[in-house]
Amino acid sequence: MVKSLIGLLERIGAGASGFLEGAGDLVLLVLRTLGWSVRPPYRPRSVIQQMASVGVSSLPIVLITALFTGAVLALQTMTGFKRFNAQDLVGTIVALSICRELGPVLTGLIVAGRVGSGMAAELGTMKVTEQIDALETLATDPVNYLVVPRFLAGLIMLPVLTVLADVVGMGGGYAVSVFVLHANPTIYFRRSMDYLAFEDVYTGIVKAAAFGVIIAIVGCQRGFNASGGAEGVGRATTASVVLASMLILTANYFITAFFF
């Protein structure tokens, strides 16, 4: 009994120690990245390459997800609002839901799964094959060379992807409401715009920028700490997706609570 209790306490202590160590590592990486972001040498070509990887490559899946999310949201809302004879408010609900929550959160989760895992796998492979050690030997800081371009790409491209997802998501809701459910197109459009304030859009953009930072930092941190060959790279990739998704959902709550 006593041995079991001691073993349990040891596992709890080891888990807490690992959590604090990981959190501290993330904070240090954020501070080093912010420091190198404003100091030379600047690497615009690497930033553009990462922006293409984060933004252009993710665009099709983000837009398809937004289109059908808006369509399903309109379908479900119209079905429910018929009970209250409030069908005219469907456009309002779709616009607010997409811009405030679904656009930035779904975009963040999709990019975390697609791009964050790729960052962890790429940097993890470089770590286990000692390419990152070689950079340090050549007096090149890995944070400046590898993390800063990914950090800036996430910070810039997530808001861009989110704005496009917002537009396409509202378009999907409009298409289903007007062409499938036969809503009045003029009333639908007017109600969508009448209640959509500027703060609804820019808070979504702020969320997206924060999610971009989370995805880049978590992916790079997990890649830098990969060990154990291909198996270790796989673990780092999986861990980056899980941790980034959890942090995105957590950050979404606190940013929403701050603004609203």
Side-chain angles (χ1 to χ4, degrees):
M1 180 67 181
V2 175
K3 287 185 178 180
S4 300
L5 182 60
I6 293 175
L8 177 62
L9 292 175
E10 287 178 345
R11 287 194 294 273
I12 293 174
S17 176
F19 172 78
L20 293 175
E21 184 178 353
D25 201 19
L26 279 174
V27 172
L28 287 176
L29 184 58
V30 170
L31 295 177
R32 290 182 64 189
T33 303
L34 290 175
W36 274 114
S37 297
V38 295
R39 291 165 51 194
Y42 304 112
R43 305 183 187 280
R45 179 173 297 180
S46 297
V47 174
I48 293 172
Q49 289 174 346
Q50 291 301 322
M51 287 172 65
S53 175
V54 174
V56 178
S57 302
S58 303
L59 190 59
I61 188 172
V62 167
L63 295 187
I64 290 173
T65 302
L67 177 68
F68 284 99
T69 299
V72 169
L73 185 60
L75 195 62
Q76 293 278 22
T77 307
M78 183 72 79
T79 303
F81 277 22
K82 279 184 178 178
R83 302 172 186 175
F84 311 102
N85 197 26
Q87 299 94 317
D88 292 348
L89 294 176
V90 171
T92 305
I93 298 301
V94 171
L96 292 179
S97 301
I98 292 288
C99 292
R100 283 189 176 189
E101 294 297 328
L102 295 177
V105 172
L106 289 178
T107 301
L109 293 176
I110 290 169
V111 175
R114 186 191 173 283
V115 177
S117 60
M119 291 179 182
E122 184 180 6
L123 270 59
T125 302
M126 294 180 68
K127 176 66 177 179
V128 299
T129 56
E130 300 182 349
Q131 294 180 59
I132 293 178
D133 295 334
L135 286 175
E136 293 176 336
T137 303
L138 296 172
T140 300
D141 190 286
V143 174
N144 174 263
Y145 188 74
L146 297 171
V147 181
V148 171
R150 289 166 174 79
F151 168 81
L152 294 176
L155 182 66
I156 296 169
M157 293 310 298
L158 260 290
V160 174
L161 287 173
T162 297
V163 171
L164 295 174
D166 290 346
V167 174
V168 173
M170 288 191 290
Y174 177 89
V176 167
S177 298
V178 173
F179 300 116
V180 178
L181 302 174
H182 308 296
N184 186 301
T186 304
I187 294 176
Y188 184 94
F189 183 79
R190 192 175 65 221
R191 288 297 176 92
S192 298
M193 295 297 106
D194 282 349
Y195 295 98
L196 186 64
F198 178 66
E199 65 178 5
D200 300 319
V201 179
Y202 84 74
T203 52
I205 293 174
V206 170
K207 287 182 179 181
F211 299 160
V213 170
I214 289 172
I215 292 167
I217 293 297
V218 170
C220 294
Q221 190 264 350
R222 290 296 166 178
F224 278 166
N225 288 282
S227 60
E231 185 179 351
V233 174
R235 285 196 301 269
T237 302
T238 303
S240 73
V241 176
V242 173
L243 181 58
S245 299
M246 292 173 60
L247 290 178
I248 284 172
L249 296 175
T250 305
N252 180 55
Y253 169 79
F254 286 105
I255 295 173
T256 302
F258 177 78
F259 281 106
F260 299 102

